[in-house]
Amino acid sequence: MLIHTQKETLVHALSSAAKNDKIGFVPTMGALHKGHISLVNKALAENDLVVVSIFVNPTQFNNSADLQKYPRTPEDDISLLKRLKGDLIVYLPEVSGLYEDSIFAKKYNFGGLENEMEGKHRSGHFDGVGTIVNKLFRIVKPDAAYFGEKDFQQLQIVKKLVAIENLPVKIIGCAILREDNGLAMSSRNKRLSAKQIEEATIIYRTLNEVREKFSSTSIADLNTLVAERFLQNPHLELEYFEIANEKTLKTAKRKNEDLKYRAFIAVLADEVRLIDNMPLN
Ligand code: PAF
């Protein structure tokens, strides 16, 4: 496994790969968990060479405390990746290596996808994601890139990004990996206490309840049900719950049986923000 911290040496290493080699790419912000590893293993199975980037991208954080406290575990990340079998390159750039002297995000119009849910609650977040993913795609030039469905809105936005930027990358969404108690795997889980982990299982339980009741209950009643479940738990704050059209991500008020819906949720456990989602039909 090779590790590059400089864009130039990474580009050089990639340019010396065989011409027909398929390059898979897994962009991450580190603090790797089994969910990331499953993306890397899928990429390794489907490509000749895989690049994993580890970079906590400053422009996608709208809250500086969140950026500061984002878990950073590069040594653990590298030892996890070293255990994998296959042709793997790790790219660990510095902020200055990707942003030079201006740490700014490009302004994107993702056709409205950026204004829903996470976009409403994390101003400028998707401009930051679009900016960094575009930079990374232009450096790595992957054939395929792998993203987890936990960040379902991000996945849809990255699909739109490659169309806008005209990049020849196949975007592959991968199912959410969960802990045994149902909690969606996330780097942010590392910041939760054992008690908070236990309490946070309400997220998965509630999403499951919504899925089970979806065909027989109105969206308005499901919204009320979720609000009530969270009122019973004083340690978790429900930031939003929405049932949205899976394609447009627009909030659904009524069901249309020709459309696909997904439930999306964001919850605060003290200052740790957890998101999750689940297909409903
Ligand atoms: O999902 C993430 O970890 C990040 O948003 C990404 C895609 C690596 C961009 O910084």
Side-chain angles (χ1 to χ4, degrees), residues 25-62:
F25 180 38
V26 184
T28 81
M29 297 208 296
L32 301 183
H33 50 72
K34 284 189 202 145
H36 291 115
I37 299 302
S38 76
L39 300 187
V40 181
N41 276 327
K42 185 167 166 64
L44 283 167
E46 295 177 358
N47 299 275
D48 301 296
L49 171 64
V50 171
V51 178
V52 177
S53 63
I54 298 178
F55 179 67
V56 182
N57 171 37
T59 63
Q60 70 188 75
F61 287 81
N62 59 331

PDB file of all heavy atoms in Angstrom, residues 25-62:
ATOM      1  N   PHE A  25     -12.274   4.820  -6.655  1.00  0.00           N
ATOM      2  CA  PHE A  25     -11.921   5.882  -5.711  1.00  0.00           C
ATOM      3  C   PHE A  25     -12.922   5.915  -4.558  1.00  0.00           C
ATOM      4  O   PHE A  25     -14.137   5.884  -4.776  1.00  0.00           O
ATOM      5  CB  PHE A  25     -11.934   7.226  -6.465  1.00  0.00           C
ATOM      6  CG  PHE A  25     -11.581   8.421  -5.617  1.00  0.00           C
ATOM      7  CD1 PHE A  25     -10.597   8.355  -4.646  1.00  0.00           C
ATOM      8  CD2 PHE A  25     -12.239   9.640  -5.812  1.00  0.00           C
ATOM      9  CE1 PHE A  25     -10.278   9.464  -3.867  1.00  0.00           C
ATOM     10  CE2 PHE A  25     -11.929  10.749  -5.042  1.00  0.00           C
ATOM     11  CZ  PHE A  25     -10.941  10.666  -4.068  1.00  0.00           C
ATOM     12  N   VAL A  26     -12.387   5.988  -3.342  1.00  0.00           N
ATOM     13  CA  VAL A  26     -13.247   6.127  -2.159  1.00  0.00           C
ATOM     14  C   VAL A  26     -12.798   7.388  -1.405  1.00  0.00           C
ATOM     15  O   VAL A  26     -11.799   7.356  -0.680  1.00  0.00           O
ATOM     16  CB  VAL A  26     -13.168   4.888  -1.240  1.00  0.00           C
ATOM     17  CG1 VAL A  26     -14.153   5.031  -0.079  1.00  0.00           C
ATOM     18  CG2 VAL A  26     -13.444   3.604  -2.014  1.00  0.00           C
ATOM     19  N   PRO A  27     -13.509   8.508  -1.604  1.00  0.00           N
ATOM     20  CA  PRO A  27     -13.141   9.713  -0.850  1.00  0.00           C
ATOM     21  C   PRO A  27     -13.690   9.618   0.566  1.00  0.00           C
ATOM     22  O   PRO A  27     -14.854   9.238   0.757  1.00  0.00           O
ATOM     23  CB  PRO A  27     -13.833  10.848  -1.620  1.00  0.00           C
ATOM     24  CG  PRO A  27     -14.882  10.208  -2.450  1.00  0.00           C
ATOM     25  CD  PRO A  27     -14.626   8.735  -2.543  1.00  0.00           C
ATOM     26  N   THR A  28     -12.870   9.943   1.563  1.00  0.00           N
ATOM     27  CA  THR A  28     -13.332   9.882   2.960  1.00  0.00           C
ATOM     28  C   THR A  28     -12.769  11.078   3.729  1.00  0.00           C
ATOM     29  O   THR A  28     -11.848  11.753   3.260  1.00  0.00           O
ATOM     30  CB  THR A  28     -12.848   8.603   3.693  1.00  0.00           C
ATOM     31  OG1 THR A  28     -11.496   8.801   4.137  1.00  0.00           O
ATOM     32  CG2 THR A  28     -12.919   7.363   2.833  1.00  0.00           C
ATOM     33  N   MET A  29     -13.312  11.271   4.919  1.00  0.00           N
ATOM     34  CA  MET A  29     -12.728  12.256   5.827  1.00  0.00           C
ATOM     35  C   MET A  29     -12.024  11.526   6.982  1.00  0.00           C
ATOM     36  O   MET A  29     -11.798  12.097   8.047  1.00  0.00           O
ATOM     37  CB  MET A  29     -13.799  13.213   6.351  1.00  0.00           C
ATOM     38  CG  MET A  29     -14.427  14.015   5.198  1.00  0.00           C
ATOM     39  SD  MET A  29     -15.053  15.612   5.679  1.00  0.00           S
ATOM     40  CE  MET A  29     -16.347  15.144   6.804  1.00  0.00           C
ATOM     41  N   GLY A  30     -11.685  10.255   6.762  1.00  0.00           N
ATOM     42  CA  GLY A  30     -10.948   9.501   7.774  1.00  0.00           C
ATOM     43  C   GLY A  30     -11.828   9.032   8.911  1.00  0.00           C
ATOM     44  O   GLY A  30     -13.051   8.959   8.778  1.00  0.00           O
ATOM     45  N   ALA A  31     -11.183   8.703  10.061  1.00  0.00           N
ATOM     46  CA  ALA A  31     -11.863   8.068  11.192  1.00  0.00           C
ATOM     47  C   ALA A  31     -12.650   6.873  10.624  1.00  0.00           C
ATOM     48  O   ALA A  31     -13.858   6.729  10.826  1.00  0.00           O
ATOM     49  CB  ALA A  31     -12.769   9.039  11.938  1.00  0.00           C
ATOM     50  N   LEU A  32     -11.918   6.041   9.908  1.00  0.00           N
ATOM     51  CA  LEU A  32     -12.550   4.972   9.130  1.00  0.00           C
ATOM     52  C   LEU A  32     -13.221   3.926  10.018  1.00  0.00           C
ATOM     53  O   LEU A  32     -12.726   3.598  11.090  1.00  0.00           O
ATOM     54  CB  LEU A  32     -11.504   4.283   8.244  1.00  0.00           C
ATOM     55  CG  LEU A  32     -10.773   5.195   7.244  1.00  0.00           C
ATOM     56  CD1 LEU A  32      -9.823   4.369   6.392  1.00  0.00           C
ATOM     57  CD2 LEU A  32     -11.742   5.974   6.368  1.00  0.00           C
ATOM     58  N   HIS A  33     -14.356   3.439   9.542  1.00  0.00           N
ATOM     59  CA  HIS A  33     -15.075   2.377  10.241  1.00  0.00           C
ATOM     60  C   HIS A  33     -15.443   1.305   9.218  1.00  0.00           C
ATOM     61  O   HIS A  33     -15.112   1.444   8.020  1.00  0.00           O
ATOM     62  CB  HIS A  33     -16.312   2.946  10.952  1.00  0.00           C
ATOM     63  CG  HIS A  33     -17.165   3.796  10.068  1.00  0.00           C
ATOM     64  ND1 HIS A  33     -17.939   3.284   9.052  1.00  0.00           N
ATOM     65  CD2 HIS A  33     -17.337   5.149  10.025  1.00  0.00           C
ATOM     66  CE1 HIS A  33     -18.569   4.255   8.435  1.00  0.00           C
ATOM     67  NE2 HIS A  33     -18.231   5.410   8.995  1.00  0.00           N
ATOM     68  N   LYS A  34     -16.188   0.297   9.700  1.00  0.00           N
ATOM     69  CA  LYS A  34     -16.492  -0.843   8.807  1.00  0.00           C
ATOM     70  C   LYS A  34     -17.262  -0.407   7.557  1.00  0.00           C
ATOM     71  O   LYS A  34     -17.178  -1.048   6.512  1.00  0.00           O
ATOM     72  CB  LYS A  34     -17.311  -1.889   9.567  1.00  0.00           C
ATOM     73  CG  LYS A  34     -16.490  -2.712  10.513  1.00  0.00           C
ATOM     74  CD  LYS A  34     -17.347  -3.862  11.051  1.00  0.00           C
ATOM     75  CE  LYS A  34     -16.797  -4.386  12.338  1.00  0.00           C
ATOM     76  NZ  LYS A  34     -17.849  -4.813  13.280  1.00  0.00           N
ATOM     77  N   GLY A  35     -18.048   0.660   7.685  1.00  0.00           N
ATOM     78  CA  GLY A  35     -18.795   1.157   6.520  1.00  0.00           C
ATOM     79  C   GLY A  35     -17.826   1.589   5.422  1.00  0.00           C
ATOM     80  O   GLY A  35     -17.979   1.211   4.252  1.00  0.00           O
ATOM     81  N   HIS A  36     -16.790   2.365   5.806  1.00  0.00           N
ATOM     82  CA  HIS A  36     -15.786   2.789   4.817  1.00  0.00           C
ATOM     83  C   HIS A  36     -15.080   1.569   4.226  1.00  0.00           C
ATOM     84  O   HIS A  36     -14.850   1.493   3.023  1.00  0.00           O
ATOM     85  CB  HIS A  36     -14.701   3.647   5.476  1.00  0.00           C
ATOM     86  CG  HIS A  36     -15.156   4.994   5.942  1.00  0.00           C
ATOM     87  ND1 HIS A  36     -15.180   5.346   7.273  1.00  0.00           N
ATOM     88  CD2 HIS A  36     -15.586   6.079   5.260  1.00  0.00           C
ATOM     89  CE1 HIS A  36     -15.593   6.592   7.392  1.00  0.00           C
ATOM     90  NE2 HIS A  36     -15.861   7.066   6.192  1.00  0.00           N
ATOM     91  N   ILE A  37     -14.732   0.635   5.136  1.00  0.00           N
ATOM     92  CA  ILE A  37     -13.959  -0.528   4.666  1.00  0.00           C
ATOM     93  C   ILE A  37     -14.786  -1.331   3.657  1.00  0.00           C
ATOM     94  O   ILE A  37     -14.252  -1.851   2.683  1.00  0.00           O
ATOM     95  CB  ILE A  37     -13.510  -1.411   5.877  1.00  0.00           C
ATOM     96  CG1 ILE A  37     -12.620  -0.582   6.808  1.00  0.00           C
ATOM     97  CG2 ILE A  37     -12.798  -2.685   5.421  1.00  0.00           C
ATOM     98  CD1 ILE A  37     -11.363   0.021   6.201  1.00  0.00           C
ATOM     99  N   SER A  38     -16.107  -1.379   3.873  1.00  0.00           N
ATOM    100  CA  SER A  38     -16.923  -2.128   2.897  1.00  0.00           C
ATOM    101  C   SER A  38     -16.919  -1.406   1.542  1.00  0.00           C
ATOM    102  O   SER A  38     -16.924  -2.046   0.497  1.00  0.00           O
ATOM    103  CB  SER A  38     -18.337  -2.354   3.421  1.00  0.00           C
ATOM    104  OG  SER A  38     -19.084  -1.169   3.325  1.00  0.00           O
ATOM    105  N   LEU A  39     -16.869  -0.063   1.550  1.00  0.00           N
ATOM    106  CA  LEU A  39     -16.773   0.668   0.271  1.00  0.00           C
ATOM    107  C   LEU A  39     -15.433   0.356  -0.406  1.00  0.00           C
ATOM    108  O   LEU A  39     -15.379   0.131  -1.618  1.00  0.00           O
ATOM    109  CB  LEU A  39     -16.840   2.192   0.485  1.00  0.00           C
ATOM    110  CG  LEU A  39     -18.056   2.835   1.128  1.00  0.00           C
ATOM    111  CD1 LEU A  39     -17.954   4.354   1.073  1.00  0.00           C
ATOM    112  CD2 LEU A  39     -19.324   2.410   0.430  1.00  0.00           C
ATOM    113  N   VAL A  40     -14.366   0.340   0.401  1.00  0.00           N
ATOM    114  CA  VAL A  40     -13.033   0.091  -0.185  1.00  0.00           C
ATOM    115  C   VAL A  40     -12.974  -1.340  -0.739  1.00  0.00           C
ATOM    116  O   VAL A  40     -12.471  -1.569  -1.839  1.00  0.00           O
ATOM    117  CB  VAL A  40     -11.907   0.333   0.856  1.00  0.00           C
ATOM    118  CG1 VAL A  40     -10.538   0.089   0.219  1.00  0.00           C
ATOM    119  CG2 VAL A  40     -11.978   1.746   1.427  1.00  0.00           C
ATOM    120  N   ASN A  41     -13.551  -2.294   0.003  1.00  0.00           N
ATOM    121  CA  ASN A  41     -13.526  -3.677  -0.485  1.00  0.00           C
ATOM    122  C   ASN A  41     -14.323  -3.823  -1.773  1.00  0.00           C
ATOM    123  O   ASN A  41     -13.919  -4.544  -2.686  1.00  0.00           O
ATOM    124  CB  ASN A  41     -14.059  -4.636   0.579  1.00  0.00           C
ATOM    125  CG  ASN A  41     -12.956  -5.010   1.561  1.00  0.00           C
ATOM    126  OD1 ASN A  41     -11.785  -5.105   1.185  1.00  0.00           O
ATOM    127  ND2 ASN A  41     -13.317  -5.198   2.819  1.00  0.00           N
ATOM    128  N   LYS A  42     -15.455  -3.129  -1.852  1.00  0.00           N
ATOM    129  CA  LYS A  42     -16.246  -3.184  -3.097  1.00  0.00           C
ATOM    130  C   LYS A  42     -15.428  -2.581  -4.247  1.00  0.00           C
ATOM    131  O   LYS A  42     -15.364  -3.134  -5.336  1.00  0.00           O
ATOM    132  CB  LYS A  42     -17.573  -2.420  -2.890  1.00  0.00           C
ATOM    133  CG  LYS A  42     -18.533  -2.516  -4.064  1.00  0.00           C
ATOM    134  CD  LYS A  42     -19.918  -2.025  -3.661  1.00  0.00           C
ATOM    135  CE  LYS A  42     -20.839  -1.773  -4.839  1.00  0.00           C
ATOM    136  NZ  LYS A  42     -21.167  -2.958  -5.611  1.00  0.00           N
ATOM    137  N   ALA A  43     -14.787  -1.442  -3.956  1.00  0.00           N
ATOM    138  CA  ALA A  43     -13.971  -0.790  -4.992  1.00  0.00           C
ATOM    139  C   ALA A  43     -12.823  -1.711  -5.417  1.00  0.00           C
ATOM    140  O   ALA A  43     -12.514  -1.825  -6.609  1.00  0.00           O
ATOM    141  CB  ALA A  43     -13.442   0.540  -4.458  1.00  0.00           C
ATOM    142  N   LEU A  44     -12.201  -2.398  -4.449  1.00  0.00           N
ATOM    143  CA  LEU A  44     -11.088  -3.301  -4.782  1.00  0.00           C
ATOM    144  C   LEU A  44     -11.575  -4.461  -5.646  1.00  0.00           C
ATOM    145  O   LEU A  44     -10.889  -4.907  -6.565  1.00  0.00           O
ATOM    146  CB  LEU A  44     -10.442  -3.851  -3.503  1.00  0.00           C
ATOM    147  CG  LEU A  44      -9.512  -2.884  -2.758  1.00  0.00           C
ATOM    148  CD1 LEU A  44      -9.190  -3.406  -1.361  1.00  0.00           C
ATOM    149  CD2 LEU A  44      -8.214  -2.658  -3.545  1.00  0.00           C
ATOM    150  N   ALA A  45     -12.801  -4.931  -5.355  1.00  0.00           N
ATOM    151  CA  ALA A  45     -13.335  -6.074  -6.117  1.00  0.00           C
ATOM    152  C   ALA A  45     -13.675  -5.662  -7.556  1.00  0.00           C
ATOM    153  O   ALA A  45     -13.633  -6.483  -8.461  1.00  0.00           O
ATOM    154  CB  ALA A  45     -14.575  -6.627  -5.423  1.00  0.00           C
ATOM    155  N   GLU A  46     -13.993  -4.387  -7.758  1.00  0.00           N
ATOM    156  CA  GLU A  46     -14.499  -3.963  -9.078  1.00  0.00           C
ATOM    157  C   GLU A  46     -13.478  -3.200  -9.921  1.00  0.00           C
ATOM    158  O   GLU A  46     -13.791  -2.767 -11.018  1.00  0.00           O
ATOM    159  CB  GLU A  46     -15.755  -3.094  -8.870  1.00  0.00           C
ATOM    160  CG  GLU A  46     -16.901  -3.897  -8.244  1.00  0.00           C
ATOM    161  CD  GLU A  46     -18.148  -3.070  -7.953  1.00  0.00           C
ATOM    162  OE1 GLU A  46     -18.146  -1.836  -8.186  1.00  0.00           O
ATOM    163  OE2 GLU A  46     -19.134  -3.682  -7.491  1.00  0.00           O
ATOM    164  N   ASN A  47     -12.286  -2.963  -9.371  1.00  0.00           N
ATOM    165  CA  ASN A  47     -11.287  -2.158 -10.099  1.00  0.00           C
ATOM    166  C   ASN A  47      -9.909  -2.793  -9.984  1.00  0.00           C
ATOM    167  O   ASN A  47      -9.688  -3.672  -9.154  1.00  0.00           O
ATOM    168  CB  ASN A  47     -11.240  -0.730  -9.514  1.00  0.00           C
ATOM    169  CG  ASN A  47     -12.576  -0.035  -9.663  1.00  0.00           C
ATOM    170  OD1 ASN A  47     -12.859   0.545 -10.696  1.00  0.00           O
ATOM    171  ND2 ASN A  47     -13.427  -0.117  -8.640  1.00  0.00           N
ATOM    172  N   ASP A  48      -8.947  -2.305 -10.815  1.00  0.00           N
ATOM    173  CA  ASP A  48      -7.580  -2.833 -10.746  1.00  0.00           C
ATOM    174  C   ASP A  48      -6.784  -2.138  -9.658  1.00  0.00           C
ATOM    175  O   ASP A  48      -5.872  -2.701  -9.073  1.00  0.00           O
ATOM    176  CB  ASP A  48      -6.886  -2.610 -12.101  1.00  0.00           C
ATOM    177  CG  ASP A  48      -7.644  -3.308 -13.207  1.00  0.00           C
ATOM    178  OD1 ASP A  48      -7.720  -4.540 -13.161  1.00  0.00           O
ATOM    179  OD2 ASP A  48      -8.212  -2.612 -14.078  1.00  0.00           O
ATOM    180  N   LEU A  49      -7.134  -0.878  -9.416  1.00  0.00           N
ATOM    181  CA  LEU A  49      -6.377  -0.056  -8.477  1.00  0.00           C
ATOM    182  C   LEU A  49      -7.367   0.837  -7.750  1.00  0.00           C
ATOM    183  O   LEU A  49      -8.309   1.343  -8.371  1.00  0.00           O
ATOM    184  CB  LEU A  49      -5.413   0.802  -9.321  1.00  0.00           C
ATOM    185  CG  LEU A  49      -4.625   1.914  -8.667  1.00  0.00           C
ATOM    186  CD1 LEU A  49      -3.671   1.316  -7.656  1.00  0.00           C
ATOM    187  CD2 LEU A  49      -3.837   2.670  -9.730  1.00  0.00           C
ATOM    188  N   VAL A  50      -7.161   1.006  -6.439  1.00  0.00           N
ATOM    189  CA  VAL A  50      -8.114   1.832  -5.680  1.00  0.00           C
ATOM    190  C   VAL A  50      -7.366   2.930  -4.926  1.00  0.00           C
ATOM    191  O   VAL A  50      -6.329   2.685  -4.305  1.00  0.00           O
ATOM    192  CB  VAL A  50      -8.938   0.956  -4.707  1.00  0.00           C
ATOM    193  CG1 VAL A  50      -9.770   1.820  -3.754  1.00  0.00           C
ATOM    194  CG2 VAL A  50      -9.856   0.021  -5.488  1.00  0.00           C
ATOM    195  N   VAL A  51      -7.907   4.139  -5.012  1.00  0.00           N
ATOM    196  CA  VAL A  51      -7.367   5.258  -4.232  1.00  0.00           C
ATOM    197  C   VAL A  51      -8.370   5.579  -3.127  1.00  0.00           C
ATOM    198  O   VAL A  51      -9.571   5.691  -3.392  1.00  0.00           O
ATOM    199  CB  VAL A  51      -7.164   6.510  -5.126  1.00  0.00           C
ATOM    200  CG1 VAL A  51      -6.636   7.684  -4.293  1.00  0.00           C
ATOM    201  CG2 VAL A  51      -6.222   6.203  -6.286  1.00  0.00           C
ATOM    202  N   VAL A  52      -7.857   5.707  -1.891  1.00  0.00           N
ATOM    203  CA  VAL A  52      -8.690   6.157  -0.776  1.00  0.00           C
ATOM    204  C   VAL A  52      -8.118   7.503  -0.339  1.00  0.00           C
ATOM    205  O   VAL A  52      -6.928   7.589  -0.029  1.00  0.00           O
ATOM    206  CB  VAL A  52      -8.621   5.181   0.420  1.00  0.00           C
ATOM    207  CG1 VAL A  52      -9.433   5.709   1.601  1.00  0.00           C
ATOM    208  CG2 VAL A  52      -9.128   3.800   0.017  1.00  0.00           C
ATOM    209  N   SER A  53      -8.943   8.542  -0.355  1.00  0.00           N
ATOM    210  CA  SER A  53      -8.433   9.825   0.161  1.00  0.00           C
ATOM    211  C   SER A  53      -8.932  10.016   1.587  1.00  0.00           C
ATOM    212  O   SER A  53     -10.051   9.605   1.928  1.00  0.00           O
ATOM    213  CB  SER A  53      -8.864  11.000  -0.720  1.00  0.00           C
ATOM    214  OG  SER A  53     -10.260  11.126  -0.707  1.00  0.00           O
ATOM    215  N   ILE A  54      -8.079  10.613   2.402  1.00  0.00           N
ATOM    216  CA  ILE A  54      -8.438  10.939   3.788  1.00  0.00           C
ATOM    217  C   ILE A  54      -8.177  12.425   3.945  1.00  0.00           C
ATOM    218  O   ILE A  54      -7.025  12.877   3.935  1.00  0.00           O
ATOM    219  CB  ILE A  54      -7.585  10.123   4.786  1.00  0.00           C
ATOM    220  CG1 ILE A  54      -7.845   8.626   4.599  1.00  0.00           C
ATOM    221  CG2 ILE A  54      -7.876  10.560   6.220  1.00  0.00           C
ATOM    222  CD1 ILE A  54      -7.021   7.724   5.511  1.00  0.00           C
ATOM    223  N   PHE A  55      -9.260  13.188   4.028  1.00  0.00           N
ATOM    224  CA  PHE A  55      -9.088  14.642   4.088  1.00  0.00           C
ATOM    225  C   PHE A  55     -10.316  15.255   4.742  1.00  0.00           C
ATOM    226  O   PHE A  55     -11.434  15.111   4.238  1.00  0.00           O
ATOM    227  CB  PHE A  55      -8.924  15.198   2.660  1.00  0.00           C
ATOM    228  CG  PHE A  55      -8.771  16.688   2.615  1.00  0.00           C
ATOM    229  CD1 PHE A  55      -7.634  17.300   3.135  1.00  0.00           C
ATOM    230  CD2 PHE A  55      -9.764  17.484   2.058  1.00  0.00           C
ATOM    231  CE1 PHE A  55      -7.494  18.688   3.108  1.00  0.00           C
ATOM    232  CE2 PHE A  55      -9.629  18.874   2.020  1.00  0.00           C
ATOM    233  CZ  PHE A  55      -8.491  19.473   2.549  1.00  0.00           C
ATOM    234  N   VAL A  56     -10.109  15.912   5.883  1.00  0.00           N
ATOM    235  CA  VAL A  56     -11.229  16.590   6.548  1.00  0.00           C
ATOM    236  C   VAL A  56     -11.368  17.949   5.862  1.00  0.00           C
ATOM    237  O   VAL A  56     -10.527  18.836   6.036  1.00  0.00           O
ATOM    238  CB  VAL A  56     -10.977  16.714   8.069  1.00  0.00           C
ATOM    239  CG1 VAL A  56     -12.178  17.382   8.737  1.00  0.00           C
ATOM    240  CG2 VAL A  56     -10.745  15.335   8.687  1.00  0.00           C
ATOM    241  N   ASN A  57     -12.406  18.060   5.053  1.00  0.00           N
ATOM    242  CA  ASN A  57     -12.539  19.206   4.143  1.00  0.00           C
ATOM    243  C   ASN A  57     -13.140  20.427   4.854  1.00  0.00           C
ATOM    244  O   ASN A  57     -14.326  20.419   5.189  1.00  0.00           O
ATOM    245  CB  ASN A  57     -13.442  18.773   2.981  1.00  0.00           C
ATOM    246  CG  ASN A  57     -13.813  19.938   2.093  1.00  0.00           C
ATOM    247  OD1 ASN A  57     -12.997  20.822   1.858  1.00  0.00           O
ATOM    248  ND2 ASN A  57     -15.054  19.944   1.627  1.00  0.00           N
ATOM    249  N   PRO A  58     -12.345  21.492   5.055  1.00  0.00           N
ATOM    250  CA  PRO A  58     -12.859  22.618   5.854  1.00  0.00           C
ATOM    251  C   PRO A  58     -14.065  23.312   5.236  1.00  0.00           C
ATOM    252  O   PRO A  58     -14.919  23.810   5.980  1.00  0.00           O
ATOM    253  CB  PRO A  58     -11.662  23.580   5.926  1.00  0.00           C
ATOM    254  CG  PRO A  58     -10.747  23.178   4.827  1.00  0.00           C
ATOM    255  CD  PRO A  58     -10.965  21.714   4.588  1.00  0.00           C
ATOM    256  N   THR A  59     -14.160  23.338   3.910  1.00  0.00           N
ATOM    257  CA  THR A  59     -15.233  24.159   3.310  1.00  0.00           C
ATOM    258  C   THR A  59     -16.623  23.527   3.411  1.00  0.00           C
ATOM    259  O   THR A  59     -17.610  24.171   3.064  1.00  0.00           O
ATOM    260  CB  THR A  59     -14.937  24.493   1.826  1.00  0.00           C
ATOM    261  OG1 THR A  59     -14.905  23.269   1.095  1.00  0.00           O
ATOM    262  CG2 THR A  59     -13.637  25.236   1.657  1.00  0.00           C
ATOM    263  N   GLN A  60     -16.724  22.288   3.884  1.00  0.00           N
ATOM    264  CA  GLN A  60     -18.069  21.710   4.005  1.00  0.00           C
ATOM    265  C   GLN A  60     -18.609  21.788   5.428  1.00  0.00           C
ATOM    266  O   GLN A  60     -19.701  21.297   5.698  1.00  0.00           O
ATOM    267  CB  GLN A  60     -18.108  20.280   3.473  1.00  0.00           C
ATOM    268  CG  GLN A  60     -17.371  19.245   4.300  1.00  0.00           C
ATOM    269  CD  GLN A  60     -17.324  17.907   3.580  1.00  0.00           C
ATOM    270  OE1 GLN A  60     -16.574  17.723   2.629  1.00  0.00           O
ATOM    271  NE2 GLN A  60     -18.134  16.952   4.005  1.00  0.00           N
ATOM    272  N   PHE A  61     -17.831  22.434   6.329  1.00  0.00           N
ATOM    273  CA  PHE A  61     -18.297  22.605   7.710  1.00  0.00           C
ATOM    274  C   PHE A  61     -18.806  24.032   7.871  1.00  0.00           C
ATOM    275  O   PHE A  61     -18.083  24.983   7.572  1.00  0.00           O
ATOM    276  CB  PHE A  61     -17.150  22.368   8.697  1.00  0.00           C
ATOM    277  CG  PHE A  61     -16.767  20.912   8.823  1.00  0.00           C
ATOM    278  CD1 PHE A  61     -15.946  20.317   7.880  1.00  0.00           C
ATOM    279  CD2 PHE A  61     -17.246  20.139   9.873  1.00  0.00           C
ATOM    280  CE1 PHE A  61     -15.601  18.974   7.976  1.00  0.00           C
ATOM    281  CE2 PHE A  61     -16.907  18.798   9.988  1.00  0.00           C
ATOM    282  CZ  PHE A  61     -16.090  18.216   9.036  1.00  0.00           C
ATOM    283  N   ASN A  62     -20.039  24.174   8.336  1.00  0.00           N
ATOM    284  CA  ASN A  62     -20.557  25.527   8.563  1.00  0.00           C
ATOM    285  C   ASN A  62     -20.388  25.912  10.029  1.00  0.00           C
ATOM    286  O   ASN A  62     -20.815  26.975  10.438  1.00  0.00           O
ATOM    287  CB  ASN A  62     -22.025  25.643   8.124  1.00  0.00           C
ATOM    288  CG  ASN A  62     -22.901  24.660   8.868  1.00  0.00           C
ATOM    289  OD1 ASN A  62     -22.445  23.600   9.260  1.00  0.00           O
ATOM    290  ND2 ASN A  62     -24.155  25.006   9.065  1.00  0.00           N
TER     291      ASN A  62
END
